[in-house]
Amino acid sequence: MKFAYRFSNLLGTVYRCGNLNFTCDGNSVISPVGNRITVFDLKNNKSNTLPLATRYNIKCVGLSPDGRLAIIVDEGGDALLVSLVCRSVLHHFHFKGCVHSVSFSPDGRKFVVTKGNIAQMYHAPGRKREFNAFVLDKTYFGPYDETTCIDWTDDSRCFAVGSKDMSTWVFGAERWDNLIYYALGGHKDAIVACFFECSSLDLYTLSQDGALCVWQCDTPPEGLRLKAPTGWKADLLQREEEEEEDEGERETTIRGKATPAAGEQQGKVKYSRLAKYFFNKEGDFNNLTAAAYHRKTHLLVTGFASGIFHLHELPEFNLIHSLSVSDQRIESVAINSSGDWIALGCSGLGQLLVWEWQSESYVLKQQGHFNSMVSLAYSPDGQYIVTGGDDGKVKVWNTLSGFCFITFTEHSSGVTGVTFTATGYVIVTSSMDGTVRAFDLHRYRNFRTFTSPRPTQFSCVAVDSSGEIVSAGAQDSFEIFIWSMQTGRLLEVLSGHEGPISGLCFNPMKSVLASASWDRTVRLWDMVDSWRTTETLALTSDALAVTFRPDGAELAVATLNSQITFWDPENAVQTGSIEGRHDLKTGRKELDKVTAKHSAKGKAFTTLCYSADGQSVLAGGRSKFVCIYHVREQILRKKFEISGNLSLDAMEEFLNRRKMTEFGNLALIDQDAGEENGVAVPLPGVRKGDMSSRHFKPEIRVTSLHFSPTGRCWAATSTEGLLIYSLDAQLLFDPFELDTSVTPGRVRAALRQRDFTRALLMAFRLNETKLLQEALESVPPGEIEVVSSSLPDLYVDKVLEFLASSFEVSRHLEFYLLWTQKLLTLHGQKLKARVGKLLPAVQFLQKSIQQHLDAVSKLCDWNRYNMQYALAVSKQRGVKRPSEPPQSEEEEQDDDNDSLHLLGAGHGDGAGLGLLE
């Protein structure tokens, strides 16, 4: 089995913090998710996470006007220049400070970042090849407090910067004679956003207290004059320009004054305030947190701390729409290029909404788990993943689109276990609220609720292969409860354990239940023979997780002493063990008194999963590493680092000595008290602020692991979300029984001689995708049966795997279905003998065919409906409405007075059909 698994997608988290962006075509939303970027394609209904990550959580994202480049800046000031076309990092840069916002100019030649109380303008990368992609052009001083927002004019001549000191500054991007800088006041709170009007220097400014100021400029953009140097300055400038051509461009510093002298204001651009509007009514103190403006339609969208957003038309300030979308603060707002869709991000609940304001409907409504995910399970065909979280919600995710399509909220406490039945249409979950619930994926409802005679908290759940028996382990009464799925009745209560039940697992091939407990035993219960204990496996430490191999011939148990032991369930004999203490490599938390090396002694694997072929086992725990072990050799095959986000706790092995002072660790101090959403520490006698609120860094951990039944990918629930790792076979040369006589030229020569079997065998020995596709598609449909019958058994497996992967990308659906049918018909009996080895490939094939079946059946149903409608309309075209008998004047007058009178009513079934003509 190959282990070239790479990160492919992040589900379960749709928005964390930072600003939202629409792509230039307006069809996709770019959302920061922790230290990663996810692109939500709204037209094709797909989400994809870019295979790159920053060191800390992302603070802001700037998108170039052509949509090819993006600048991603994290909380530490590190920036990545990313190509959205090839999805890779082009350049790394450090801004040496916390960046609040970044914005490209509309012409794409410059970009501005706000850092501290200054604004810096850089030459935009990508126009020419250079050693340093970020070249500083000008530095602008003026605000006395931190800068918060940026906006450019349409012609890229000027930009405005808002600040927390309640002022807005307009700076010239060039050396304008009549506009170098201009300071605007008029607000009583920090500036949240500022926007220029279309093709004008007129400005709108919005402050946190819900005030909007409209500023009018006395000069059009065309009236800006370039400052012409004279005398020795002209000679110096000419000399500098010659040096710039040779050596590059130098930085310029522009220092603004809030109250310039009267002589400096003569002949300059002047602003006047036309109006001031207030969003809040009397007695309402709702903080404005985010805003966006669409210049062509004059549409202003504002988001508030209470979860309400407003739509206004400017400059008249007419309210178009108002809606409450959440009970948490709206962190970011964005409008697409056409002005139809509005994206709203709420970091408190992790919500991402895209609202079409004209039709008043949701284009996208996604929300992750409020607290951490606890468990996950793959559906039998690998198309869906179900997750359960501490927030009591059960969510089902589509692995193809990456979206959650149903959320069940019936549980009133944290969900501890989730699993699918063998059919794939029923989800069974256990919870701390004392219930086990079964959900139907056809009707999306909770159709069974299983409870115990006495209230108890369930820690795990399992369903047998037939889907008829449901079992759950109790955390406080140390018992295992067995229910019938059909009747919902409690069948048996299994007692015998002397500690909390930590894990349950049914044997896939037999009616045997394995239960792991903190009492250092694993018990095997026979479901057929009166639910009695057949074997008790004694362990050296508390059992934390238990799982069967897919063929049921082996049992793996993770224990508290960081060991994984393997058992033969038939003979109750231990067959091997793996010591995983040194592979976990746990980090040191900021407030830990002991080192990471000593704290690792108390850490262990808390979740286990076999690979689809049963040769390897996947293990994870309270660490950023996931390990894959070879079962038979008992060695570590590969170790995956699931996160490099330093915003999470326990990521580094050693503490930063610069954070250690003589009074203790700086992590004990709430340094975010000055932030917008930080802890508001009140002064004596002041009632504002909540002293109980605290900021904390979540600890990195892996709570659950699961291999896909197809063997192509595996999923892990972690602090960051639901991570999907899949096989990367794009640039992998992996030949099979290769010798010097097998070349691409020989394969094509055999195809020309119509020796298809030999060509196919040589192509599979080279194992190159393009060559395999060429050889397979060269076989005429009439000869597929002959070629299939002459293939050796070893190559039949490889052809089936190739067909399964080709179904996802190829258009030749019928041709590949014909190949699949002939192979399974001719080699079916031999394939049954190797079912254990072939199961992942067959399930992958079933998943690919099922996807096409769903898509084609929807298309056929829609076409059938359209044809029936067209036939019905065509039948009515020749039918005319029967003529009405002549009426007297009195009758006509009565008809006019009757407001409920319908045309042709009461004159037969054919009345009114003439309206279709």
Side-chain angles (χ1 to χ4, degrees):
M1 187 176 180
K2 301 295 181 295
F3 289 96
Y5 290 98
R6 289 194 178 183
F7 172 80
S8 66
N9 210 352
L10 173 63
L11 313 181
T13 312
V14 291
Y15 176 74
R16 188 69 58 83
C17 57
N19 62 312
L20 298 169
N21 286 276
F22 273 99
T23 53
C24 52
D25 59 359
N27 295 334
S28 301
V29 179
I30 297 176
S31 172
V33 183
N35 67 333
R36 298 182 184 272
I37 288 288
T38 302
V39 180
F40 295 94
D41 190 344
L42 304 175
K43 281 289 179 73
N44 300 318
N45 193 37
K46 281 192 176 181
S47 74
N48 207 343
T49 305
L50 302 183
L52 50 95
T54 56
R55 295 178 71 237
Y56 294 91
N57 284 337
I58 293 172
K59 187 71 177 286
C60 54
V61 178
L63 204 61
S64 64
D66 57 3
R68 293 175 175 271
L69 296 176
I71 295 175
I72 302 169
V73 188
D74 65 14
E75 293 171 347
D78 286 313
L80 299 179
L81 176 64
V82 176
S83 169
L84 296 178
V85 179
C86 59
R87 297 156 52 87
S88 59
V89 178
L90 303 180
H91 186 67
H92 293 261
F93 190 76
H94 188 62
F95 282 110
K96 298 177 182 177
C98 184
V99 174
H100 297 97
S101 55
V102 56
S103 176
F104 275 86
S105 62
D107 60 4
R109 296 177 58 195
K110 304 285 178 69
F111 72 89
V112 172
V113 296
T114 56
K115 181 183 70 173
N117 64 337
I118 63 171
Q120 292 182 324
M121 185 165 66
Y122 288 81
H123 293 278
R127 294 287 173 179
K128 57 183 179 179
R129 183 177 294 181
E130 50 198 354
F131 176 72
N132 183 12
F134 290 62
V135 179
L136 182 62
D137 183 23
K138 294 181 181 69
T139 302
Y140 297 87
F141 291 87
Y144 295 100
D145 206 342
E146 291 182 357
T147 47
T148 56
C149 54
I150 313 166
D151 192 55
W152 285 84
T153 55
D154 287 336
D155 53 8
S156 304
R157 295 184 175 201
C158 304
F159 64 91
V161 173
S163 171
K164 286 185 180 178
D165 65 359
M166 301 175 283
S167 66
T168 307
W169 293 73
V170 182
F171 293 109
E174 304 290 340
R175 294 172 179 168
W176 305 118
D177 185 26
N178 50 349
L179 178 60
I180 300 173
Y181 62 87
Y182 200 100
L184 302 169
H187 286 282
K188 297 180 181 178
D189 209 339
I191 305 297
V192 173
C194 52
F195 305 106
F196 280 104
E197 189 53 271
C198 183
S199 302
S200 171
L201 291 178
D202 296 348
L203 193 66
Y204 302 107
T205 57
L206 294 98
S207 60
Q208 194 172 338
D209 59 353
L212 166 69
C213 288
V214 183
W215 303 90
Q216 186 181 27
C217 183
D218 64 350
T219 307
E222 297 80 18
L224 295 177
R225 305 183 302 271
L226 275 172
K227 191 172 184 179
T230 56
W232 62 273
K233 288 186 179 180
D235 300 335
L236 184 62
L237 184 63
Q238 186 177 359
R239 204 174 305 152
E240 283 180 357
E241 287 176 354
E242 291 174 359
E243 290 177 2
E244 282 176 1
E245 290 176 1
D246 299 334
E247 301 174 7
E249 296 164 333
R250 294 181 179 178
E251 176 196 348
T252 308
T253 302
I254 296 173
R255 297 184 180 274
K257 300 176 185 175
T259 55
E264 295 180 11
Q265 296 180 5
Q266 292 180 359
K268 305 292 184 182
V269 168
K270 289 184 179 178
Y271 276 91
S272 58
R273 192 174 76 186
L274 284 183
K276 187 173 184 180
Y277 302 105
F278 297 94
F279 291 93
N280 293 330
K281 299 173 183 176
E282 275 189 51
D284 188 11
F285 301 101
N286 197 359
N287 278 348
L288 191 148
T289 54
Y293 180 62
H294 193 261
R295 292 175 185 169
K296 292 179 182 177
T297 57
H298 304 284
L299 185 71
L300 175 69
V301 186
T302 49
F304 293 86
S306 61
I308 298 173
F309 77 92
H310 297 316
L311 267 71
H312 285 87
E313 187 183 11
L314 294 182
E316 291 83 9
F317 198 67
N318 297 327
L319 180 63
I320 301 172
H321 192 61
S322 179
L323 186 72
S324 176
V325 293
S326 174
D327 55 358
Q328 298 281 332
R329 59 182 279 136
I330 295 176
E331 199 76 30
S332 179
V333 176
I335 309 179
N336 73 340
S337 53
S338 63
D340 297 328
W341 292 348
I342 299 166
L344 306 160
C346 304
S347 61
L349 293 174
Q351 288 178 318
L352 177 62
L353 311 167
V354 179
W355 176 261
E356 188 173 34
W357 64 274
Q358 289 176 334
S359 64
E360 298 187 9
S361 60
Y362 285 110
V363 179
L364 173 72
K365 188 179 182 182
Q366 291 285 300
Q367 179 181 344
H369 287 279
F370 177 64
N371 291 328
S372 60
M373 296 185 195
V374 175
S375 55
L376 85 142
Y378 265 100
S379 62
D381 58 0
Q383 286 198 54
Y384 306 120
I385 298 177
V386 58
T387 58
D390 283 336
D391 56 358
K393 293 181 180 177
V394 177
K395 290 179 174 285
V396 187
W397 307 84
N398 190 322
T399 55
L400 286 177
S401 66
F403 287 118
C404 169
F405 62 91
I406 185 65
T407 301
F408 299 107
T409 58
E410 279 78 5
H411 283 296
S412 58
S413 186
V415 178
T416 54
V418 293
T419 184
F420 272 95
T421 58
T423 59
Y425 298 115
V426 176
I427 297 168
V428 183
T429 62
S430 61
S431 171
M432 302 291 278
D433 62 2
T435 62
V436 173
R437 297 177 183 268
F439 300 95
D440 182 8
L441 284 186
H442 280 306
R443 298 176 180 85
Y444 300 133
R445 63 188 180 93
N446 174 208
F447 70 96
R448 284 279 185 276
T449 302
F450 309 102
T451 55
S452 56
R454 291 188 305 274
T456 184
Q457 293 181 326
F458 294 113
S459 58
C460 49
V461 68
V463 182
D464 73 334
S465 55
S466 66
E468 294 298 322
I469 299 175
V470 179
S471 65
Q475 193 169 356
D476 43 9
S477 64
F478 314 153
E479 295 170 331
I480 301 168
F481 297 87
I482 308 292
W483 295 276
S484 168
M485 178 72 83
Q486 278 196 339
T487 62
R489 292 176 56 190
L490 180 66
L491 299 178
E492 188 68 27
V493 179
L494 308 179
S495 57
H497 281 293
E498 298 172 2
I501 312 297
S502 56
L504 292 175
C505 187
F506 273 98
N507 191 320
M509 300 300 169
K510 298 179 181 179
S511 293
V512 174
L513 175 67
S515 61
S517 172
W518 292 6
D519 62 1
R520 301 190 178 188
T521 61
V522 170
R523 291 176 180 262
L524 302 178
W525 311 83
D526 193 345
M527 296 289 106
V528 179
D529 190 7
S530 301
W531 297 291
R532 65 183 180 88
T533 308
T534 56
E535 297 290 349
T536 300
L537 312 179
L539 306 172
T540 57
S541 185
D542 299 3
L544 301 179
V546 62
T547 182
F548 272 101
R549 204 165 70 183
D551 61 358
E554 193 176 62
L555 187 73
V557 185
T559 52
L560 193 59
N561 57 359
S562 301
Q563 281 190 347
I564 303 172
T565 54
F566 301 97
W567 299 78
D568 179 6
E570 287 291 327
N571 306 314
V573 176
Q574 183 176 343
T575 57
S577 67
I578 293 172
E579 179 65 46
R581 189 185 305 278
H582 301 293
D583 300 326
L584 266 174
K585 277 193 177 178
T586 55
R588 182 175 180 179
K589 292 198 283 187
E590 287 186 339
L591 302 179
D592 276 354
K593 302 297 183 186
V594 295
T595 62
K597 186 176 180 181
H598 286 287
S599 67
K601 295 177 181 178
K603 302 294 174 62
F605 292 118
T606 57
T607 175
L608 277 181
C609 176
Y610 270 99
S611 61
D613 59 357
Q615 295 181 7
S616 306
V617 68
L618 202 61
R622 290 180 61 182
S623 166
K624 62 179 178 179
F625 292 107
V626 170
C627 304
I628 293 186
Y629 294 97
H630 193 283
V631 175
R632 194 174 61 234
E633 302 293 337
Q634 296 174 12
I635 57 172
L636 178 68
R637 278 189 159 180
K638 194 163 185 179
K639 189 159 64 170
F640 299 93
E641 185 178 359
I642 61 166
S643 178
N645 189 358
L646 297 180
S647 295
L648 302 175
D649 210 355
M651 286 295 298
E652 296 180 287
E653 189 175 354
F654 302 102
L655 287 180
N656 190 347
R657 294 296 175 190
R658 286 178 290 185
K659 291 185 178 180
M660 301 300 294
T661 66
E662 56 181 321
F663 303 107
N665 195 342
L666 284 176
L668 291 166
I669 304 171
D670 252 322
Q671 294 180 331
D672 297 330
E675 296 291 328
E676 298 92 343
N677 53 353
V679 180
V681 180
L683 295 171
V686 180
R687 291 186 178 182
K688 186 180 178 183
D690 181 11
M691 292 299 288
S692 66
S693 61
R694 289 289 182 272
H695 280 290
F696 68 96
K697 292 175 73 173
E699 182 187 354
I700 183 68
R701 63 174 64 190
V702 178
T703 52
S704 183
L705 289 167
H706 210 287
F707 243 101
S708 170
T710 63
R712 308 282 300 178
C713 54
W714 55 270
T717 54
S718 69
T719 313
E720 287 201 311
L722 177 59
L723 300 160
I724 309 290
Y725 283 77
S726 59
L727 279 176
D728 180 32
Q730 295 176 355
L731 301 173
L732 190 66
F733 178 62
D734 184 24
F736 173 70
E737 295 183 356
L738 188 64
D739 56 29
T740 55
S741 63
V742 180
T743 61
R746 293 278 182 92
V747 174
R748 293 187 175 95
L751 289 175
R752 285 194 294 272
Q753 296 168 9
R754 299 183 65 81
D755 191 352
F756 299 114
T757 305
R758 190 164 64 90
L760 205 58
L761 293 179
M762 285 195 292
F764 272 101
R765 290 173 72 178
L766 270 174
N767 205 11
E768 285 189 3
T769 308
K770 295 289 184 185
L771 194 63
L772 278 170
Q773 185 178 350
E774 182 183 344
L776 203 69
E777 292 180 358
S778 299
V779 181
E783 297 190 25
I784 290 178
E785 188 171 359
V786 179
V787 175
S788 299
S789 61
S790 59
L791 283 175
D793 294 344
L794 190 60
Y795 287 87
V796 173
D797 309 352
K798 295 187 173 296
V799 176
L800 285 174
E801 287 181 13
F802 179 75
L803 288 173
S805 58
S806 299
F807 269 117
E808 295 184 337
V809 292
S810 178
R811 295 173 297 174
H812 308 298
L813 183 58
E814 185 182 0
F815 181 76
Y816 283 112
L817 282 173
L818 200 59
W819 265 104
T820 308
Q821 181 192 12
K822 298 299 180 187
L823 282 171
L824 294 177
T825 306
L826 295 168
H827 299 273
Q829 294 299 325
K830 295 178 182 177
L831 293 175
K832 277 186 180 179
R834 306 195 303 276
V835 65
K837 184 181 177 184
L838 274 177
L839 189 61
V842 173
Q843 286 178 327
F844 186 32
L845 188 66
Q846 180 191 357
K847 176 187 173 184
S848 303
I849 295 174
Q850 185 67 36
Q851 289 168 10
H852 283 290
L853 175 63
D854 295 342
V856 172
S857 60
K858 286 179 184 177
L859 186 63
C860 291
D861 290 343
W862 177 245
N863 289 341
R864 189 187 305 157
Y865 168 75
N866 283 337
M867 290 166 67
Q868 288 173 354
Y869 177 75
L871 284 171
V873 171
S874 64
K875 288 178 182 177
Q876 305 298 337
R877 288 188 64 84
V879 180
K880 292 186 178 180
R881 189 172 60 212
S883 59
E884 298 177 7
Q887 293 179 340
S888 63
E889 293 181 4
E890 294 178 0
E891 289 176 342
E892 287 180 2
Q893 196 171 7
D894 291 341
D895 289 345
D896 292 339
N897 294 335
D898 190 0
S899 60
L900 297 176
H901 176 73
L902 299 176
L903 282 174
H907 295 287
D909 296 332
L913 294 174
L915 295 173
L916 294 172
E917 295 180 8

